[in-house]
Amino acid sequence: MTTASSLTPAPGPLWRVLTALLAAGLVLNGLFMLIMPGGWYAGVPGVSGTGPFNDHFVRDIGAAFIATGLGAAWAARRGQRGGLLPAAVFLGLHAGIHLVETLVAGHAHAAALAVEVLGIHLPAVLAIALVLPRPSTATLARLAPAELIERRVAASEQYLGVRMDYMREIGRVAPALLAKLGVIAGLGRQDVTAPAEALHFATLGAVQVDDCGECVQIHVNLALKDGIAPAHLQAALDNRLTDLPPLQALALRFGRAAAENDPALETLAEQLQRQLGRRAMFDLAIALGLARFYPVLKRALGYAKSCSLIRLKVA
């Protein structure tokens, strides 16, 4: 699930696409080496010049490519940079070895050099770039508070689709506090197992109760980014629960009941737990706590606007 993190957004769609492409390339190359080691050795330019063919050795390296590729695929699926670390380390060391050999011995022909650049060094650079985290707000605050924090807030505004003047003021007055808010936001991105639709509709229901129009718009925008149907989001905003799939309607009612301390909360929680399991309820509880944190923060600072004062958009 994409979460409403303030200044440290989770990896976006482009990151996931690039990571998935890298994963596919690693796995396909590994399968080629594992299934047809002789064909791989003879067909890839420059390989035969590294030494005599060793069937067992080629298959071993193929297994390493497959393992790191599967790790990268998991990272792309979960949106977690850490899953790319094995691939980045393996590809970086692999590229380093080839770079040293190239500098020392050179290559006999252009085709081998092209393989070096496109097949070895480019994937290594890509993996390292994808695994590196974005600078924390605390780091930005130490380097150049005004310019860099403004740049990060502007990027967050573009990603979330709303103005974030309250974050801009916090960054100007108390940069260290802004860094702490980034840590809080990150809690919602750790090992989430609950279905995205349940998380989105539960948090949407909670912020509707809190009557923070911009917060509702953020959750609508994030749900759209995660592929939730616009018609279902509009139905939730219009309180047309009968037009929602059962899980979405149940999660929306659960989020509202949790925010209102409705006596029906216990029954709704039991129904959700039967469908999703106890572990998913932890995800929902944390997501609801984070979703309600921002409306209270904004209201206390004088930035919250009622839903009735904002024209919500579902598109």
Side-chain angles (χ1 to χ4, degrees), residues 66-83:
I66 293 173
T68 53
L70 292 177
W74 180 88
R77 175 69 179 85
R78 299 296 296 273
Q80 295 189 359
R81 297 180 189 274

Side-chain angles (χ1 to χ4, degrees), residues 8-303:
T8 53
L14 178 60
W15 185 93
R16 290 175 182 265
V17 169
L18 292 175
T19 302
L21 290 174
L22 178 65
L26 291 172
V27 171
L28 289 174
N29 183 62
L31 288 173
F32 188 12
M33 298 175 76
L34 196 64
I35 298 172
M36 301 176 61
W40 179 87
Y41 179 83
V44 179
V47 172
S48 59
T50 62
F53 172 66
N54 185 316
D55 180 276
H56 179 86
F57 180 73
V58 173
R59 291 180 191 273
D60 280 347
I61 302 303
F65 271 98
I66 293 173
T68 53
L70 292 177
W74 180 88
R77 175 69 179 85
R78 299 296 296 273
Q80 295 189 359
R81 297 180 189 274
L84 261 178
L85 184 58
V89 172
F90 171 68
L91 293 176
L93 292 174
H94 184 212
I97 293 170
H98 278 260
L99 179 61
V100 170
E101 292 181 350
T102 300
L103 294 175
V104 172
H107 281 289
H109 48 82
L113 182 59
V115 170
E116 288 280 327
V117 174
L118 298 178
I120 297 174
H121 299 296
L122 183 60
V125 171
L126 178 61
I128 293 170
L130 291 171
V131 80
L132 289 176
R134 296 179 63 177
S136 68
T137 306
T139 300
L140 295 179
R142 289 194 299 269
L143 294 177
E147 180 181 352
L148 293 182
I149 289 181
E150 170 58 32
R151 191 180 304 169
R152 181 61 63 84
V153 172
S156 297
E157 288 176 331
Q158 182 178 9
Y159 180 74
L160 298 175
V162 301
R163 293 281 300 177
M164 301 184 71
D165 290 330
Y166 75 104
M167 285 292 182
R168 188 170 281 105
E169 184 182 14
I170 293 173
R172 184 177 66 251
V173 176
L177 178 58
L178 195 62
K180 294 178 181 179
L181 292 177
V183 174
I184 293 173
L187 295 175
R189 299 196 299 269
Q190 304 301 317
D191 298 322
V192 177
T193 62
E197 59 178 334
L199 288 162
H200 281 301
F201 279 87
T203 53
L204 179 59
V207 294
Q208 281 182 302
V209 171
D210 287 325
D211 195 29
C212 175
E214 290 179 338
C215 301
V216 172
Q217 186 66 67
I218 285 175
H219 284 274
V220 168
N221 294 345
L222 292 177
L224 290 170
K225 288 179 181 291
D226 272 358
I228 302 298
H232 293 163
L233 291 169
Q234 190 63 61
L237 295 177
D238 296 340
N239 202 33
R240 292 183 283 107
L241 272 64
T242 55
D243 293 341
L244 293 174
L247 178 58
Q248 293 180 5
L250 178 59
L252 185 71
R253 293 172 59 204
F254 172 72
R256 290 175 176 174
E260 295 174 336
N261 198 23
D262 190 313
L265 176 61
E266 183 176 354
T267 300
L268 296 171
E270 290 175 353
Q271 294 175 11
L272 270 176
Q273 184 166 318
R274 280 198 297 270
Q275 291 190 44
L276 305 179
R278 185 61 177 170
R279 174 64 179 82
M281 297 305 294
F282 296 156
D283 295 332
L284 288 170
I286 292 173
L288 288 174
L290 292 174
R292 302 198 67 200
F293 172 81
Y294 292 100
V296 173
L297 174 65
K298 293 175 65 176
R299 186 170 293 114
L301 294 175
Y303 283 94

